[in-house]
Amino acid sequence: MKVLFVCLGNICRSPTAEGVFRRAIKQAGLAEQVEIDSCGVGSWHLGKAPDARAQQAALLRGIDLSGLRARQLSEHDFTEFDYVLGMDQDNLRAMRDLKPTNSKAHVGLFLDFAGTPGAEVPDPYYGGDEGFENVLNMIEAASDGLIQHLKRAL
Ligand code: 4NP
């Protein structure tokens, strides 16, 4: 099973989701069965490490994002991954535009798995530190929900 998290820049929300979900999957004993990656719909930050504020907030919860590097979503991702999960409705629109017709991937919002269908993980880039805490809290809740879902699907 392969899961891809998508946001705009791949330096704040989706790398945070990758790091949080990777730890949750390990704790659930599913590390051998689930592959995880993240990317952005935009190209501004290609090759960059996650935003320093996102790294710091994650590190306070014991999650190291420093090794991650931004990459851009491609058409190929929709045949490579089983779940392609966006952070907000803008991401989702861009994802659906790029999705090829032969893709069987589940394309939707990550927070659908937190029991809040249609809800968005807000972009924390132009805000304060509390925005990054909020992102982490939402992502932790959605990660738990996605693990329950994958356990049923595996
Ligand atoms: P992300 O946050 O989509 O969560 O990685 C953003 C990062 C950069 C920009 C926007 C959002 N930006 O406009 O550069």
Side-chain angles (χ1 to χ4, degrees):
M1 199 71 86
K2 292 188 170 191
V3 178
L4 179 64
F5 296 108
V6 183
C7 64
L8 181 58
N10 194 209
I11 56 166
C12 297
R13 292 166 292 175
S14 63
T16 299
E18 179 179 345
V20 167
F21 192 62
R22 196 179 292 287
R23 178 167 76 176
I25 278 287
K26 265 198 202 111
Q27 286 171 347
L30 297 173
E32 300 297 311
Q33 290 148 78
V34 182
E35 283 183 39
I36 306 159
D37 196 10
S38 68
C39 65
V41 299
S43 59
W44 307 281
H45 300 283
L46 299 185
K48 298 247 184 75
D51 185 284
R53 297 164 296 171
Q55 287 198 46
Q56 178 62 20
L59 209 52
L60 288 172
R61 299 191 191 196
I63 297 166
D64 180 5
L65 304 180
S66 64
L68 302 181
R69 295 294 178 268
R71 74 167 179 91
Q72 191 170 20
L73 178 67
S74 79
E75 224 180 280
H76 176 70
D77 287 318
F78 292 92
T79 44
E80 186 66 22
F81 288 86
D82 303 291
Y83 290 82
V84 184
L85 302 176
M87 299 297 141
D88 64 33
Q89 299 284 357
D90 283 342
N91 304 155
L92 188 56
R93 269 189 290 278
M95 288 152 59
R96 286 182 171 146
D97 283 350
L98 202 59
K99 185 186 181 188
T101 47
N102 67 339
S103 162
K104 294 186 175 64
H106 169 105
V107 175
L109 289 173
F110 185 27
L111 287 193
D112 287 353
F113 293 97
T116 50
E120 303 182 315
V121 183
D123 183 351
Y125 190 67
Y126 293 106
D129 289 344
E130 70 285 354
F132 289 85
E133 291 302 314
N134 184 39
V135 164
L136 273 163
N137 293 337
M138 290 174 137
I139 283 174
E140 284 182 348
S143 291
D144 289 343
L146 181 55
I147 282 179
Q148 296 314 314
H149 172 87
L150 292 181
K151 277 184 179 165
R152 290 192 292 272
L154 278 165

